[in-house]
Structure formats: structure tokens, C-alpha cells
Amino acid sequence: MRGLAVLRELAVHEGRRPVSELARATRLARATVDRVLSTLVRIGYVRVEGRDAVLAPRLMELGNAYLAACRLPDLLGPLADRLADTLDESVSLAVPDRDGVRFVHQAPRRRAMSLAFRIGDLLPAERGASGALFATTWSEREWQQWRERRAQDPQDTGFPAVPRGNGDAAASFEERIAAARSHGWSLDDQLIEPGLVAIAAPVRDAQGRWVCAVSVVSHTSRHDTGSLRTSILPRLEATARQMEQVLAAPTADAPSTRASKQELGTTSPPPT
């Protein structure tokens, strides 16, 4: 747990921080931090450069192990890839991570989109279509965590994968959650940045629980929210139902032994 605390502090500060600041931030004794860093350096997760501790590329294998263990990329990734090929649009699978959304699989299309999310990236729940879906099941405690995070970090500095804050996304969040609860799907109308639109549908396991969301991401030069509903949603929902059939199949109970190709060397540190 001490090692993870040190890694977390490095991760939220763009992978580099003075060792003395790590001790203060983690509330660990300096001697303890030094021992933890020595271990992390020995296994290749951290480098020490002068007075700074720096994350090393090998750390990404922790995120890869976490994502592979959830089985969703192997089980559902081929269907997401097929949908991307059919629509010629980018398709993603995401899971909830507290008051955020984390990508576990992507089938991208190379177009003029200024944002490029990686597998493992964490987004604020209010900044996308999947987040509104997941928030329909939030408890009061989870709502309180979201409100506290918004108050402490209104510019989303704790989410390096997205541009700094979008107040409109937070202001419309509850309205979009209500719409997602009513419709069973959710829209993202340029919530991350101008030009990007998306639509997401939930995927349930055999017990009926929402375990992930599958989303189609496009550009306003190709689609608006209206055309996403009319031309994309039927195929998206059909794919979500196929994914549910895969999760309900007896073979889905066995953990996968093969990592998705997209997981190799492309993830952030694991969710905590």
C-alpha cells in the first residue's frame, strides 16, 4: 500500500516529483519513502534523477495486468472492433472508476481529432456519454464524492487526459443523467472539446448489472447528435446486446489468458 501511495503521487504530478515532496504528500516517513523508492527502482518502475523520482515505462505493466484481469477487452473487444469497421467510426469500451470513467479498449479511426485517449486513461464522469450512464446508479455517497471533487478541482487538473475544465458539462450533468435513465443510452455533445460527439449504450452482465459502456465517437464534420441517434444508435444497441450474450455465455466465466494487443505498453497506472 505504501508503494502504491508513492506511485499515485507521482502519477498525478505528471510522473515526476521531488523525493522530499513525496514524503510530505504521502505522510510517510522520509526513511520509509526512501526504502519504497529503492524497491521500485530495483524492479524498474521508477528512476531517481537527482532529487526527483520519475516514473519509468515498465510501470505500465501494472495497468496492463489490471485491465487484462477484468476480461472485458478480450471478451468484448472483437465486437467493438467489428462495430468500428462497420461504421468507420471510433469505438471504445469504458468502465466506471469512482466518479470517473476509464477506457479499457479502443478501436480508433485516424482522423482530424485533436484528442487521442489511451487505454487506461481516466475521464471525469460528467465529461462524456458513458459517465452519465454510470451515474444513473450512483449512491448518495458517490454523489457527495463527485461534489467534493468538483469543488476542489473545478478545472479537472486531476484528469490529465482531458482539456482543463468544462463548466457546461458539470452544469448539465444531472439533466443528462435523467435522460440516460429514461432512454437507456446517452449522448456527448462536444463535452470534452468542440468538434467531438459521442453516443454510449450500457452493457450488462448475466445478473443485469451494468459492467461497462460501449460508445461511438465521431466528429461534427461527419455527425451531429441527431444523426448519431438515427444512424448510429440502432447498430450500437445491437452490438451492446451481442456483448451481453457473450458475457452471459458459460465460457465467459473463465479468465482470459491472452492480453489484448491494444493493452501492451499503452496503459496508465491501475485504478485505485
Side-chain angles (χ1 to χ4, degrees):
M1 294 303 295
R2 292 170 178 172
L4 289 175
V6 170
L7 291 173
R8 185 184 302 114
E9 285 301 320
L10 287 170
V12 300
H13 288 85
E14 299 185 350
R16 177 185 290 267
R17 202 167 190 194
V19 176
S20 59
E21 292 183 11
L22 283 174
R24 289 194 295 270
T26 58
R27 299 182 181 179
L28 298 173
R30 175 59 185 269
T32 301
V33 170
D34 288 342
R35 289 195 300 271
V36 167
L37 286 175
S38 295
T39 301
L40 294 172
V41 169
R42 181 66 179 270
I43 60 180
Y45 289 170
V46 171
R47 300 191 305 267
V48 176
E49 299 179 355
R51 297 181 179 180
D52 292 348
V54 183
L55 293 181
R58 188 177 176 184
L59 176 64
M60 291 189 292
E61 70 184 13
L62 289 180
N64 289 334
Y66 181 91
L67 294 176
C70 81
R71 303 177 302 120
L72 295 177
D74 272 350
L75 292 173
L76 308 183
L79 288 170
D81 296 346
R82 186 188 308 168
L83 180 63
D85 290 339
T86 300
L87 299 174
D88 193 25
E89 299 287 358
S90 296
V91 175
S92 300
L93 293 174
V95 296
D97 187 352
R98 291 190 283 193
D99 64 343
V101 172
R102 195 175 293 273
F103 290 113
V104 298
H105 181 83
Q106 287 187 311
R109 287 294 176 269
R110 296 186 180 277
R111 294 208 182 91
M113 293 186 182
S114 58
L115 287 182
F117 298 119
R118 303 165 301 171
I119 296 174
D121 277 344
L122 182 67
L123 275 63
E126 67 274 16
R127 297 283 293 271
S130 298
L133 285 172
F134 296 140
T136 60
T137 62
W138 278 3
S139 65
E140 182 53 39
R141 179 181 179 183
E142 289 168 314
W143 271 109
Q144 183 61 30
Q145 291 174 339
W146 179 79
R147 295 186 187 101
E148 291 175 356
R149 190 260 294 167
R150 286 292 308 163
Q152 295 170 5
D153 186 15
Q155 294 300 310
D156 297 332
T157 58
F159 300 86
V162 298
R164 296 293 172 89
N166 182 336
D168 292 341
S172 65
F173 193 35
E174 293 191 40
E175 179 181 349
R176 289 184 285 114
I177 293 169
R181 186 179 292 113
S182 174
H183 301 315
W185 46 266
S186 180
L187 282 168
D188 170 353
D189 187 1
Q190 307 180 72
L191 296 170
I192 295 178
E193 76 165 25
L196 295 185
V197 291
I199 189 167
V203 178
R204 300 169 176 82
D205 63 12
Q207 288 72 45
R209 298 170 298 190
W210 289 11
V211 294
C212 69
V214 54
S215 60
V216 176
V217 183
S218 188
H219 193 269
T220 51
S221 61
R222 290 172 59 87
H223 284 286
D224 58 18
T225 56
S227 63
L228 285 179
R229 288 194 303 269
T230 57
S231 63
I232 300 296
L233 180 59
R235 293 177 181 177
L236 175 65
E237 290 185 318
T239 297
R241 301 295 83 76
Q242 291 175 329
M243 290 179 173
E244 291 176 350
Q245 292 173 8
V246 170
L247 294 179
T251 54
D253 295 334
S256 173
T257 58
R258 180 181 59 83
S260 167
K261 292 181 180 179
Q262 286 183 284
E263 289 176 1
L264 300 178
T266 58
T267 65
S268 303
T272 55

